[in-house]
Amino acid sequence: MPVGTLATVKSLDPRDLTEMGASMILANSYHLHLRPGDDLIREMGGLHKFMGWSGPILTDSGGFQVFSLAKLRKISEEGVEFQSHLDGSRRFFTPESVMQIGRNLGADVVMQFDHVIPGQSEEPAARDASERSIRWLARCLAAFSTDGDAPEQALFPIVQGGIHAGLRRDAADAITSMHEWTGFGIGGLSVGEAKPAMYEMLEVVNDALDRDRPRYLMGVGFPEDLVEAIRRGVDMFDCVAPTRMGRNGAAFSSDGRVNIKRAEFRNDPRPLDEGCDCAACTRFSRAYIRHLFVADEILGLRLLSLHNVHFLLSLTRSAREAIAAGTLDSWSSDWLTRYHSRTATSL
Amino acid sequence: MPVGTLATVKSLDPRDLTEMGASMILANSYHLHLRPGDDLIREMGGLHKFMGWSGPILTDSGGFQVFSLAKLRKISEEGVEFQSHLDGSRRFFTPESVMQIGRNLGADVVMQFDHVIPGQSEEPAARDASERSIRWLARCLAAFSTDGDAPEQALFPIVQGGIHAGLRRDAADAITSMHEWTGFGIGGLSVGEAKPAMYEMLEVVNDALDRDRPRYLMGVGFPEDLVEAIRRGVDMFDCVAPTRMGRNGAAFSSDGRVNIKRAEFRNDPRPLDEGCDCAACTRFSRAYIRHLFVADEILGLRLLSLHNVHFLLSLTRSAREAIAAGTLDSWSSDWLTRYHSRTATSL
């Protein structure tokens, strides 16, 4: 899922996403509540209409901001008081208020409100946050289910537990016994823990969850992480990396990352990634895109963002084909071997 | 002609221009010579290939920078020494070097190198600049004609003469007697003179030029100016206004200008301009585009630029239809009456 934090996937047009075959996007409850306001979006006919995107939308709940805005929030059992990063105003987020924001936005999938902690937290802190997240899940479910007039929406629980296998198993068990869920979030990873710990947690959690429901690994989006996670049973991803890196001049490629601002690309007639069929690579050279970045031209941000989003969408399409063909193990091993060998010697 | 100073129409994709029916764009010799360099663009296969635009391109010569960068240049009969606004390096522009830049870029129409002065200059200064421009035109023509291997390109002369009717007539006569031109530039207007003086000069110049060749009024692009100039026989325009205003949050509309950042548009579900069929107005509300500007989202710049360029292209299409139908006088009078009455009471 390309990330449209503030009701736009940065530097792209929704039409670009459709053309690239994006099937779902993410938006952010916390940010949209602050600006322009979920009440305004409801008044304007909901998020799909507001941002001109007719495909499914998943809304992240604000749980990640409990982690990323740690200096601007205070946690209690009732919820989290944030000090707005925009104007300093105080906003109290609770499981119930987050469900109301999801309703106002009209998201297709609403993530539960959860308590995200740093990736290397010790067991007691991880247990506390995981158990609170499960109690908040019960409150989300109760709030979510009471609105008879509601549009058709799915609530996804989020498995927490840090890097502690026992906590992860306990969380998965508690969640699966609470309700028949449409899908599952896996949270609290890619927040500072070591990669092997992340992969181990994915194996533990995916073993414990229903195999016939989508599992969504939250906030993970580098190519190699996607492939490692797909091998371990993950179905859905989101990450700001493709657009953020694109705005900084970095392109994914099958030969590793390309920093387009480097002088060596000044007169390079090749596309960003040879063989790529995106709307940037089929029309423009590295020399041109480098020129756009050097001259601070907005089209450069758009072209690299287009390419990077397309790169990840293509990668997940390839993975789906490998799954359908029963060749995921060999496909992913080959892909990772190639990617790491090229990256080690790359640009 | 939408303006692509640095080989990109700011915040738009060349595909957008094709879809909107732009038939020709402008790029700038001075700026492209400095960055990324016309030699590099030649090495990359020419400007069309470099920037992914297959339609015609006209290159402005640097004469406008003689005016706009007055503090950074020294004029002699031989040419103009500029101090680069980017790195302070010294660059000597001559009629001959400007023709070489046009060749390197592979432009379809190359404007002569001319001497542009402020709009309210007195007769002696205007005469000096106009006569120098005519001498430079002869040198441009000589340089332009000597290259047997050259691609098919047209050189347009530029009629100068400030706000002095006699000088304008003399310039038009001298130019038309020099060569059988493909088209004519009208320069040195919209550079500080009063509007009535500009309209009078247009009448003088258009009377003096061949009626069967396109006349291009350089640097003019506000809607009301286009209509006034078309009434007086002008065929081609360029101006950075639609994209520059768009990036500043201002939209053209048939009811005058809309400053999208105003609080009144916070929950306005209407498009920028009701009845407009551009890719912004058919998909997005004022409320959404205002949100994009308030949140500093790049898509906002793109949508307003799209709308403004589309607005001017639609306006000139309507003018062509009126000309073909023999109703230009009544069409333009009606349009101007409506525009001015709405603008006077507008947003």
Side-chain angles (χ1 to χ4, degrees):
Chain A
M1 295 178 286
V3 174
T5 306
L6 278 165
T8 165
V9 177
K10 286 186 197 300
S11 87
L12 298 181
D13 187 302
R15 206 171 58 170
D16 300 323
L17 299 168
T18 302
E19 288 174 6
M20 287 190 283
S23 49
M24 189 167 190
I25 65 170
L26 179 143
N28 195 285
S29 296
Y30 172 82
H31 290 285
L32 291 172
H33 172 70
L34 295 188
R35 188 170 61 182
D38 49 289
D39 50 348
L40 174 75
I41 292 176
R42 179 179 197 142
E43 182 187 342
M44 294 293 102
L47 187 55
H48 294 82
K49 185 176 175 192
F50 187 60
M51 69 180 291
W53 170 255
S54 58
I57 299 173
L58 176 147
T59 45
D60 194 6
S61 63
F64 181 73
Q65 282 70 37
V66 176
F67 161 74
S68 65
L69 300 176
K71 288 180 181 164
L72 295 171
R73 55 86 180 139
K74 218 171 88 184
I75 301 176
S76 66
E77 183 61 22
E78 177 61 15
V80 179
E81 186 183 79
F82 289 98
Q83 192 177 351
S84 163
H85 66 289
L86 297 175
D87 62 8
S89 64
R90 298 194 178 271
R91 311 287 183 124
F92 198 61
F93 278 60
T94 65
E96 293 78 14
S97 76
V98 166
M99 293 302 100
Q100 184 57 47
I101 294 172
R103 285 275 190 259
N104 283 344
L105 297 175
D108 301 281
V109 175
V110 178
M111 300 307 295
Q112 77 155 100
F113 190 45
D114 59 343
H115 182 176
V116 180
I117 55 171
Q120 294 174 311
S121 301
E122 298 292 333
E123 205 269 358
R127 176 183 300 277
D128 177 64
S130 177
E131 292 180 353
R132 177 167 303 104
S133 295
I134 294 166
R135 292 192 297 274
W136 284 357
L137 174 60
R139 286 169 55 192
C140 284
L141 182 60
F144 191 78
S145 307
T146 54
D147 185 349
D149 284 342
E152 200 175 321
Q153 293 182 301
L155 169 64
F156 275 24
I158 302 173
V159 180
Q160 292 290 349
I163 53 172
H164 306 282
L167 294 180
R168 289 276 174 185
R169 265 186 223 103
D170 290 350
D173 290 345
I175 287 167
T176 52
S177 64
M178 190 188 294
H179 183 72
E180 179 86 5
W181 305 102
T182 308
F184 299 93
I186 305 171
L189 292 174
S190 200
V191 285
E193 78 286 0
K195 291 245 171 169
M198 175 168 97
Y199 300 148
E200 186 200 337
M201 291 306 107
L202 287 179
E203 289 166 11
V204 167
V205 171
N206 279 311
D207 272 353
L209 295 177
D210 295 349
R211 294 199 77 81
D212 62 345
R213 302 293 158 103
R215 299 97 175 262
Y216 158 37
L217 176 56
M218 302 179 72
V220 171
F222 287 101
E224 61 275 29
D225 294 335
L226 263 63
V227 175
E228 294 282 7
I230 292 167
R231 282 163 74 94
R232 292 169 173 85
V234 173
D235 304 289
M236 298 169 63
F237 302 90
D238 79 284
C239 188
V240 296
T243 47
R244 181 175 291 167
M245 284 175 48
R247 294 196 306 285
N248 289 327
F252 293 135
S253 98
S254 42
D255 294 333
R257 285 195 214 167
V258 174
N259 177 351
I260 199 63
K261 296 183 215 170
R262 291 177 65 152
E264 68 190 285
F265 300 130
R266 182 179 171 278
N267 63 347
D268 191 332
R270 293 176 296 166
L272 291 169
D273 190 12
E274 287 177 291
C276 174
D277 61 352
C278 84
C281 288
T282 51
R283 295 185 297 159
F284 303 106
S285 63
R286 295 178 180 188
Y288 180 65
I289 298 175
R290 177 178 185 275
H291 159 65
L292 295 176
F293 270 86
V294 169
D296 280 330
E297 287 285 354
I298 289 170
L299 180 59
L301 312 180
R302 169 179 163 76
L303 293 179
L304 280 200
S305 299
L306 263 176
H307 170 77
N308 285 344
V309 169
H310 180 274
F311 185 89
L312 294 188
L313 291 171
S314 295
L315 181 62
T316 51
R317 268 192 293 269
S318 297
R320 278 199 293 276
E321 288 165 11
I323 291 168
T327 57
L328 179 65
D329 278 351
S330 61
W331 173 84
S332 59
S333 297
D334 292 349
W335 191 93
L336 288 165
T337 301
R338 176 190 157 115
Y339 192 80
H340 289 305
S341 72
R342 300 290 182 109
T343 308
T345 59
S346 87
L347 305 164
Chain B
M1 296 178 287
V3 174
T5 306
L6 278 165
T8 165
V9 176
K10 286 187 196 299
S11 88
L12 297 181
D13 187 302
R15 208 171 58 170
D16 299 323
L17 299 168
T18 302
E19 288 175 5
M20 287 191 282
S23 49
M24 189 167 190
I25 64 170
L26 179 143
N28 196 286
S29 296
Y30 172 83
H31 289 287
L32 291 172
H33 172 70
L34 296 188
R35 189 170 61 182
D38 49 289
D39 50 348
L40 174 76
I41 291 176
R42 179 179 197 143
E43 182 186 342
M44 294 294 103
L47 187 54
H48 293 82
K49 185 175 176 193
F50 188 60
M51 69 181 290
W53 170 255
S54 57
I57 299 174
L58 176 148
T59 46
D60 194 6
S61 63
F64 182 74
Q65 282 71 36
V66 176
F67 161 74
S68 66
L69 301 176
K71 290 180 181 166
L72 295 170
R73 55 88 180 138
K74 217 172 89 184
I75 302 176
S76 66
E77 183 62 22
E78 177 61 16
V80 179
E81 186 183 80
F82 288 99
Q83 192 177 351
S84 163
H85 67 288
L86 297 174
D87 62 7
S89 64
R90 298 195 177 270
R91 312 288 183 122
F92 197 62
F93 278 59
T94 65
E96 293 78 14
S97 76
V98 166
M99 292 303 99
Q100 184 57 48
I101 294 172
R103 285 276 191 260
N104 284 344
L105 297 175
D108 301 280
V109 176
V110 178
M111 301 307 296
Q112 77 155 100
F113 190 45
D114 59 344
H115 181 176
V116 180
I117 55 172
Q120 294 174 311
S121 300
E122 298 292 332
E123 207 269 358
R127 176 184 300 276
D128 177 64
S130 177
E131 291 180 350
R132 178 168 301 104
S133 295
I134 294 166
R135 292 192 297 274
W136 285 357
L137 174 60
R139 287 169 55 192
C140 284
L141 182 60
F144 190 78
S145 307
T146 53
D147 185 350
D149 284 342
E152 200 176 322
Q153 293 182 300
L155 169 64
F156 275 23
I158 303 173
V159 180
Q160 293 290 350
I163 53 174
H164 307 281
L167 294 180
R168 289 276 174 184
R169 266 186 222 103
D170 290 349
D173 290 345
I175 287 168
T176 51
S177 65
M178 190 188 294
H179 183 72
E180 179 85 4
W181 305 103
T182 308
F184 299 93
I186 305 171
L189 292 174
S190 201
V191 285
E193 78 286 0
K195 291 244 170 167
M198 175 168 98
Y199 301 149
E200 186 200 336
M201 292 305 107
L202 289 178
E203 288 165 10
V204 167
V205 171
N206 280 310
D207 272 353
L209 295 176
D210 296 348
R211 294 200 76 80
D212 62 344
R213 302 293 157 101
R215 299 97 174 261
Y216 157 39
L217 176 55
M218 302 179 72
V220 171
F222 287 101
E224 61 274 29
D225 294 336
L226 263 63
V227 175
E228 294 282 7
I230 292 167
R231 282 163 73 93
R232 292 168 172 85
V234 173
D235 304 290
M236 298 169 64
F237 302 91
D238 79 283
C239 189
V240 297
T243 47
R244 181 174 292 166
M245 284 175 49
R247 295 197 306 284
N248 288 326
F252 293 134
S253 98
S254 41
D255 294 332
R257 285 195 213 166
V258 174
N259 177 350
I260 199 63
K261 296 182 214 170
R262 290 177 66 150
E264 68 190 285
F265 301 130
R266 183 180 171 276
N267 63 347
D268 190 333
R270 293 176 298 167
L272 291 169
D273 190 12
E274 287 177 292
C276 174
D277 61 351
C278 83
C281 289
T282 51
R283 297 185 296 159
F284 303 107
S285 63
R286 295 177 180 189
Y288 180 65
I289 298 175
R290 177 178 186 274
H291 159 65
L292 295 176
F293 270 86
V294 169
D296 280 329
E297 287 285 354
I298 288 171
L299 180 59
L301 312 181
R302 169 179 163 76
L303 294 178
L304 280 200
S305 298
L306 263 176
H307 170 77
N308 285 344
V309 169
H310 179 274
F311 185 90
L312 293 187
L313 291 170
S314 295
L315 181 62
T316 52
R317 268 192 293 269
S318 297
R320 278 199 292 275
E321 288 165 11
I323 291 167
T327 57
L328 178 65
D329 278 352
S330 61
W331 173 84
S332 59
S333 297
D334 291 351
W335 191 94
L336 287 165
T337 302
R338 176 191 157 116
Y339 192 79
H340 288 305
S341 72
R342 301 290 181 109
T343 307
T345 59
S346 87
L347 306 165

